[in-house]
Amino acid sequence: MFQTLYSYFWWERLWLPANLTWADLEDQDGRVYAKASDLYITLPLAFLFLVVRHLFETYVATPLARLLNVKEKVRLKATPNTVLEKFYAATTKHPKQADVEMLSKKSGCSVRQVERWFRRRRNQDRPSLLKKFREASWRFTFYLLAFIAGMAVIVDKPWFYDLREVWKGYPIQSMLPSQYWYYIIELSFYWSLLFSIASDVKRKDFKEQIIHHVATIILISFSWFANYIRAGTLIMALHDSSDYLLESAKMFNYAGWRNTCNNIFIVFAAVFIITRLVILPFWIMHCTVVYPLDLYPAFFGYYFFNFMMVVLQSLHIFWAYLIIRMAQKFITGKVVEDERSDREETDNSEEEEEAAVLKNGPLSNGHPVLNNNHRKTD
């Protein structure tokens, strides 16, 4: 049965245009072609990325955070309470008013105390500013290096200037060593992002992030199998062109450099919109949808690849909406918070207690952490 499924999966009509077989993509006459087995190495490399990331965050990002004076916001700990903790863990972190009143009677606390306990308990579970800074630093470093490498791979190629060259001679297109390593490194990195997503900072677009990572992995892998290498390198470089700007804006945000953050974010918003709402759909997707039909009839792989491109483009539109909303607030000078963020909760009485912590030292139910005057969150 496994052999039957294997045969169906690698049926040539799924992956290649009519009248072409896998034999046409065997290495010969100095030509080297992409092979599915080449991608096996990306899984162990993904775990190597996780090791490198840990070392980077520990020995590079953490000292950099201290250098930039990244400061934590005061967080008061919730006093131990078995009844409230059990409800928090087993039922919900956001109790309704009826639940609050019921818990007030069971725990012997006032309604006000129960509401305050849940606010503090939720804040305890939120990631620290240092964790956010370390993650942003790692992604900034990778995306910047990947963008530079991607441009080095494609800038001297004829298909970078004339998109019709992407399909010239397809699929009999020899793979270059630079393309091989660009693909392997990019795919390994996205595997590592998928493996670590459960432990990374969670935002409101958590599900969209998973869809994005899975769609990206499928697109990169499929373009490799079907020898869409030229189109794939263009798409990867285009995506990396704005990502490092966003991560650098986050880093300056966490460091409290508001003006620098705002300026970088405006540049990021412009690059994101130009590359993903203009260049990607009107140049790159036009290239993958229209030009191939001049060479061969549409086949399953053609439809599948472009369907996954539509999935990515839909996510880009969703994120562009959030980015434009934030950019408008930047331009008008309003205090801006990431639309995807889970904000810390405070009330007047807690702010007074936080001020007391900073002035007089730790309270019996709190712990002293340096205050962060920058109110914007990632």
Side-chain angles (χ1 to χ4, degrees):
M1 181 178 178
F2 176 79
Q3 185 60 40
T4 302
L5 292 174
Y6 182 85
S7 300
Y8 276 118
F9 183 79
W10 291 112
W11 184 38
E12 289 152 338
R13 295 289 69 78
L14 291 179
W15 301 94
L16 300 174
N19 301 323
L20 287 169
T21 67
W22 293 117
D24 295 314
L25 297 181
E26 291 182 358
D27 297 350
Q28 56 184 334
D29 300 328
R31 290 178 172 269
V32 178
Y33 299 100
K35 304 173 186 62
S37 58
D38 293 336
L39 299 188
Y40 291 153
I41 195 176
T42 61
L43 293 177
L45 282 179
F47 288 101
L48 179 60
F49 261 117
L50 294 177
V51 174
V52 173
R53 170 181 171 174
H54 174 73
L55 296 174
F56 176 89
E57 291 183 352
T58 302
Y59 297 106
V60 178
T62 300
L64 180 61
R66 287 197 296 265
L67 183 64
L68 294 177
N69 201 26
V70 175
K71 298 176 180 179
E72 293 287 3
K73 181 177 175 62
V74 171
R75 288 183 179 178
L76 300 175
K77 289 184 178 179
T79 54
N81 189 303
T82 305
V83 174
L84 301 182
E85 185 66 40
K86 182 178 179 181
F87 187 91
Y88 180 89
T91 307
T92 178
K93 299 178 181 180
H94 297 271
K96 297 179 180 178
Q97 187 61 34
D99 296 325
V100 171
E101 293 174 358
M102 177 270 293
L103 291 169
S104 174
K105 295 176 182 178
K106 282 188 176 182
S107 64
C109 301
S110 68
V111 170
R112 173 74 169 171
Q113 288 173 328
V114 171
E115 291 172 342
R116 180 181 300 170
W117 187 94
F118 273 91
R119 276 195 298 271
R120 292 180 179 177
R121 187 65 183 82
R122 288 192 294 265
N123 283 339
Q124 282 179 225
D125 283 350
R126 291 185 172 92
S128 68
L129 204 62
L130 178 60
K131 178 178 175 62
K132 293 179 179 180
F133 181 89
R134 286 163 50 148
E135 285 188 12
S137 299
W138 165 247
R139 290 193 295 266
F140 163 76
T141 302
F142 176 84
Y143 288 136
L144 178 60
L145 294 177
F147 175 64
I148 295 172
M151 294 305 296
V153 168
I154 63 175
V155 73
D156 61 337
K157 305 300 186 296
W159 52 88
F160 181 72
Y161 305 96
D162 182 1
L163 291 179
R164 289 189 178 276
E165 291 287 331
V166 167
W167 306 107
K168 186 177 181 179
Y170 177 84
I172 313 301
Q173 297 173 339
S174 183
M175 179 181 61
L176 303 174
S178 58
Q179 294 172 323
Y180 172 87
W181 285 111
Y182 187 36
Y183 257 80
I184 294 300
I185 291 173
E186 284 274 353
L187 183 56
S188 300
F189 179 74
Y190 278 102
W191 274 120
S192 74
L193 287 184
L194 190 63
F195 294 156
S196 65
I197 196 169
S199 59
D200 288 345
V201 175
K202 290 183 177 61
R203 299 180 177 86
K204 294 178 182 178
D205 63 345
F206 178 74
K207 293 179 181 178
E208 288 83 0
Q209 286 284 354
I210 294 178
I211 294 172
H212 175 270
H213 296 339
V214 171
T216 301
I217 289 171
I218 291 174
L219 263 174
I220 294 175
S221 301
F222 174 81
S223 64
W224 183 268
F225 299 156
N227 208 30
Y228 275 37
I229 304 295
R230 294 180 180 180
T233 53
L234 290 173
I235 294 167
M236 290 188 295
L238 190 69
H239 280 73
D240 290 335
S241 65
S242 63
D243 288 340
Y244 70 92
L245 291 170
L246 174 61
E247 300 304 332
S248 63
K250 291 180 183 179
M251 292 169 62
F252 286 113
N253 171 32
Y254 304 142
W257 295 30
R258 176 172 296 183
N259 291 334
T260 304
C261 168
N262 292 358
N263 293 333
I264 294 177
F265 186 85
I266 294 299
V267 175
F268 156 73
V271 173
F272 184 95
I273 291 170
I274 292 171
T275 56
R276 303 201 193 187
L277 297 189
V278 179
I279 296 177
L280 186 65
F282 296 107
W283 271 268
I284 303 299
M285 291 182 67
H286 182 268
C287 169
T288 61
V289 171
V290 177
Y291 294 162
L293 299 181
D294 295 336
L295 303 175
Y296 52 79
F299 62 106
F300 173 80
Y302 164 86
Y303 291 116
F304 180 78
F305 181 84
N306 287 296
F307 169 76
M308 295 307 298
M309 288 291 290
V310 170
V311 172
L312 274 185
Q313 187 58 33
S314 299
L315 291 172
H316 296 157
I317 294 172
F318 166 74
W319 282 318
Y321 166 72
L322 300 180
I323 290 168
I324 291 171
R325 285 180 58 180
M326 292 179 64
Q328 287 176 335
K329 294 178 181 178
F330 275 120
I331 293 172
T332 56
K334 295 180 181 179
V335 175
V336 181
E337 298 195 24
D338 194 327
E339 299 287 348
R340 305 171 301 159
S341 296
D342 187 14
R343 303 173 186 177
E344 295 210 18
E345 303 163 86
T346 61
D347 59 22
N348 292 337
S349 60
E350 287 191 359
E351 290 176 353
E352 292 172 1
E353 291 178 21
E354 290 170 4
V357 171
L358 291 173
K359 182 177 180 181
N360 303 320
L363 300 178
S364 59
N365 66 339
H367 58 286
V369 189
L370 290 177
N371 185 33
N372 175 22
N373 294 321
H374 186 45
R375 299 181 61 83
K376 197 168 146 254
T377 60
D378 172 41

